[in-house]
Amino acid sequence: MTPDPKSERRSERARRAILDAAFDLVSRKGFAKVTIEAIAAQAGVGKPTIYRWWRSKGAVVLEAMNEELGDDFAFPDTGDIAADLTTQITAVTQRLITGRISEAFKGVMGEAQNDPALMKAFRETILEPSIAECRARLDSAVAAGQLRSDVPTDVMVDLFYAPIHYRHFLGFGDDAVRRSADLVQDVLLGLQPRSDAG
Amino acid sequence: MTPDPKSERRSERARRAILDAAFDLVSRKGFAKVTIEAIAAQAGVGKPTIYRWWRSKGAVVLEAMNEELGDDFAFPDTGDIAADLTTQITAVTQRLITGRISEAFKGVMGEAQNDPALMKAFRETILEPSIAECRARLDSAVAAGQLRSDVPTDVMVDLFYAPIHYRHFLGFGDDAVRRSADLVQDVLLGLQPRSDAG
Amino acid sequence: MTPDPKSERRSERARRAILDAAFDLVSRKGFAKVTIEAIAAQAGVGKPTIYRWWRSKGAVVLEAMNEELGDDFAFPDTGDIAADLTTQITAVTQRLITGRISEAFKGVMGEAQNDPALMKAFRETILEPSIAECRARLDSAVAAGQLRSDVPTDVMVDLFYAPIHYRHFLGFGDDAVRRSADLVQDVLLGLQPRSDAG
Amino acid sequence: MTPDPKSERRSERARRAILDAAFDLVSRKGFAKVTIEAIAAQAGVGKPTIYRWWRSKGAVVLEAMNEELGDDFAFPDTGDIAADLTTQITAVTQRLITGRISEAFKGVMGEAQNDPALMKAFRETILEPSIAECRARLDSAVAAGQLRSDVPTDVMVDLFYAPIHYRHFLGFGDDAVRRSADLVQDVLLGLQPRSDAG
DNA sequence: CTCTAAGCGAGACGGTACGTCACGTCTTTAA
DNA sequence: TTAAAGACGTGACGTACCGTCTCGCTTAGAG
């Protein structure tokens, strides 16, 4: 995220203050009503300090969100793929809906629709690592004979995750998003290995 | 979309010019780079005329997009539900990706993440009518015994449409979106009626 | 004032409503804060009806002020020129300061600084008639040997009236304006006929 | 004039460009036809930079006029009060009528009729200093026995200056204003000390 | 253990667009 | 055939932020 992290002299204090202010403001006022000026003011920082290290408001908020999320994309593995998927998807929806992440996520994704660089950063730092973890778990389920082997696991990932984001971005409401985990069973039906044809 | 369509004194000429200008500008420059001033200028119209009838840029572009789409949400019905779904979903993705709608749609949806009124308008004028058509077709397929009767058809709609929008909004690229119709077969597998249990 | 008074079909009701509304609004809000839209609204009249008969807000207010003033510019004549001048000038300042005319007058004159046509109308309908009355009285005083005959009476008029307007327009405050009548005596001293040279 | 002249970060370049542009535009087009946008454009400056330092167009033009006038309100003192007054009043009228100041002055004063803060600023920066100089000269003339001692000198100032502004603001025309100096003699007659009573 | 260059806060600057107001004109509806 | 009502094109308003650009100040690392 940091365009030029080379400098050793960068003030960690300022960086933290900016990310904290950004996250707090977005959570409280909504992404659209937050300005870089307001972030700078709340962080007790000059605007140029923000522009020096980030390209846009979206970039700041994405990094703030990343810090909030942490690096933990690990997928549970109890041996029961259906249970593990349900667990994980429930966790994701909770974080998306009730968590403090919600506003930041919607804001960043809205912005990213018109900002390819921001979209790229989001995918690289959040989406793709998390997809990779999911695929790894699905691969092991395929190897265990719990899932069909003739459907690519990246397609499976899409099938499991799509409903969450579909409902989230198209305004179906928090309850609908929260119930996304219920679809896991229906999707799984189509992905079970079958002796009796295809 | 028009907040106050009651007045019969409204100038249809101005309305058309505004919608045409908005759609053209968004298609050519991208949603984010279009301003209401530019729309007014290109339409040969005063800014107040725009603000008199629309709440925001998003509202104008949504209405322009609606006019472009027309009212036709009809679902094909050949008797073969798999074929019909593939046909329809292919059509939707084409329109979303290659069509002139693309930029407007992304822009409006990005905006709608932070504008509940805009989201509501989108759902009422586009999404819900189109879901209703799909459900009607699925209902008839259920009645014909082509689909399981124990999964609500609104859930089925989500399963079929989610991948498109998921790939579209999360930056998977046009090719991935275009291939969304391929998932229909996999989803259908889980929705087939089964005498032999699950 | 009426640019085109030819039409016999002009609505006297509308004219009265407009002038009353204009005068009332200017008195209550001050000239600068009154708009033609507001006058039309309060008068229950369409804007074009105002524009049909007057060139500008200043013209409306000037006419309203004229109606309020009436046609009476008569100068008292008790035979004592000093007393008559004091009487008249006191009356003028009272009307200017305490009267309902005050706001309208300041507004119109402020506007007239940049609107020659308005200035001309003001002079023709108010200033010049009132100067003429004053000169007539001064002429009779000269004839009666109460004033020097070698100073033109129009200059005398200026000397008597100038302080009022000077203090009024240059912001000396209402009290200073009100005391303008006190200067009559001092000015008169220089205008008395003198046997002993000049 | 500057509402907040404290900041030492203020750009003198911008200030000069704004005042120069304002004065030039007012001189060429007349006060009423000048907009803050036009001043900003001609000065090569953003509108906010004007609003940061001035309350209104009138305030800008007043300051521009002040700079044009300079601080020199000195009154001549040759020992002959009649000659000095004529000299000074001729100078004032010349500056008012023919000078580049003319349009700015009329515009500001017209505005000031409805803007007390502007009137106050005008009085403090221009009118009162200039009155003070005049009174000082009159005081010395009184002390020299050239003027009556029983008329307050501030009243005398009014008598001498009133005709100029009266004729100027009430539309008597440039020639009448220019001839205002002629009245000095007549006014002086009433202000001469008299042993022989009055 | 200075010294000097960086990164910093602060905030003014030239801009762009905002959303609003009132203008003066034009069109439509009802009396 | 007026006049009310009010939508229209226009242009300026005053404001909010943008992203850039000085400024001094501080502060840490290289000499």
Side-chain angles (χ1 to χ4, degrees), chain B residues 15 25 32 54 60 81 93 96 102 111 119 126 138 156 182 187 190:
Chain B
R15 180 174 166 278
L25 283 168
W54 291 279
V60 178
I81 185 63
T93 55
L96 223 49
S102 174
E111 200 88 333
M119 181 63 91
I126 299 187
L138 293 172
M156 293 187 190
D182 298 350
V187 174

Side-chain angles (χ1 to χ4, degrees), chain C residues 153-183:
Chain C
T153 47
D154 56 355
V155 166
M156 293 186 190
V157 174
D158 288 3
L159 289 172
F160 288 117
Y161 279 92
I164 304 173
H165 297 289
Y166 166 75
R167 291 176 171 182
H168 193 223
F169 279 119
L170 267 58
F172 282 79
D174 289 355
D175 282 349
V177 175
R178 198 173 289 114
R179 284 194 306 269
S180 298
D182 299 348
L183 305 195

Side-chain angles (χ1 to χ4, degrees), chain B residues 92-110:
Chain B
V92 167
T93 55
Q94 285 302 324
R95 203 146 57 170
L96 223 49
I97 303 310
T98 61
R100 315 208 297 293
I101 295 303
S102 174
E103 272 300 330
F105 187 72
K106 279 199 310 185
V108 168
M109 296 316 300

Side-chain angles (χ1 to χ4, degrees), chain B:
Chain B
M1 216 11 29
T2 306
D4 176 9
K6 65 173 170 257
S7 174
E8 295 171 356
R9 319 254 329 246
R10 180 173 184 184
S11 158
E12 178 60 19
R13 182 189 62 68
R15 180 174 166 278
R16 268 264 57 87
I18 291 165
L19 295 178
D20 290 349
F23 194 80
D24 174 63
L25 283 168
V26 168
S27 301
R28 289 192 293 109
K29 319 226 179 196
F31 185 87
K33 297 202 172 165
V34 173
T35 66
I36 289 201
E37 292 212 331
I39 295 173
Q42 171 156 335
V45 140
K47 274 195 292 177
T49 301
I50 297 184
Y51 285 108
R52 213 183 331 264
W53 303 109
W54 291 279
R55 294 175 39 260
S56 66
K57 177 174 66 164
V60 178
V61 176
L62 174 57
E63 183 165 342
M65 189 169 68
N66 276 344
E67 304 256 321
E68 181 70 19
L69 282 173
D71 295 340
D72 186 18
F73 300 102
F75 216 93
D77 187 350
T78 63
D80 178 349
I81 185 63
D84 289 350
L85 279 165
T86 303
T87 301
Q88 184 70 356
I89 285 177
T90 302
V92 167
T93 55
Q94 285 302 324
R95 203 146 57 170
L96 223 49
I97 303 310
T98 61
R100 315 208 297 293
I101 295 303
S102 174
E103 272 300 330
F105 187 72
K106 279 199 310 185
V108 168
M109 296 316 300
E111 200 88 333
Q113 300 308 317
N114 288 294
D115 180 347
L118 184 60
M119 181 63 91
K120 184 162 175 285
F122 159 72
R123 291 182 59 87
E124 291 176 355
T125 58
I126 299 187
L127 190 61
E128 286 165 6
S130 133
I131 285 176
E133 290 291 331
C134 184
R135 287 188 67 181
R137 180 66 187 86
L138 293 172
D139 283 335
S140 83
V142 169
Q146 295 175 340
L147 292 174
R148 293 168 56 183
S149 58
D150 61 337
V151 174
T153 46
D154 55 356
V155 166
M156 293 187 190
V157 175
D158 289 1
L159 289 172
F160 289 116
Y161 280 93
I164 304 172
H165 297 288
Y166 166 75
R167 291 177 172 183
H168 193 223
F169 279 118
L170 267 59
F172 282 79
D174 288 355
D175 282 349
V177 175
R178 197 172 292 115
R179 285 194 306 269
S180 300
D182 298 350
L183 305 195
V184 168
Q185 290 303 330
D186 298 314
V187 174
L188 271 176
L189 280 180
L191 298 177
Q192 280 170 350
R194 35 194 70 199
S195 44
D196 53 337

Side-chain angles (χ1 to χ4, degrees), chain D residues 55-117:
Chain D
R55 293 174 41 259
S56 66
K57 179 175 64 164
V60 179
V61 176
L62 174 58
E63 184 165 341
M65 189 170 66
N66 277 341
E67 305 254 321
E68 181 71 19
L69 283 173
D71 296 339
D72 185 18
F73 300 102
F75 215 93
D77 188 350
T78 63
D80 178 349
I81 185 64
D84 288 353
L85 279 166
T86 302
T87 301
Q88 184 69 356
I89 284 177
T90 301
V92 168
T93 56
Q94 285 301 324
R95 202 147 56 171
L96 223 50
I97 304 309
T98 60
R100 317 209 296 293
I101 295 302
S102 172
E103 271 300 330
F105 187 72
K106 279 200 310 188
V108 168
M109 295 315 302
E111 200 89 333
Q113 300 309 317
N114 287 293
D115 180 345

Side-chain angles (χ1 to χ4, degrees), chain A residues 72-87:
Chain A
D72 184 18
F73 301 102
F75 216 94
D77 187 350
T78 64
D80 178 348
I81 185 63
D84 290 351
L85 278 165
T86 302
T87 301

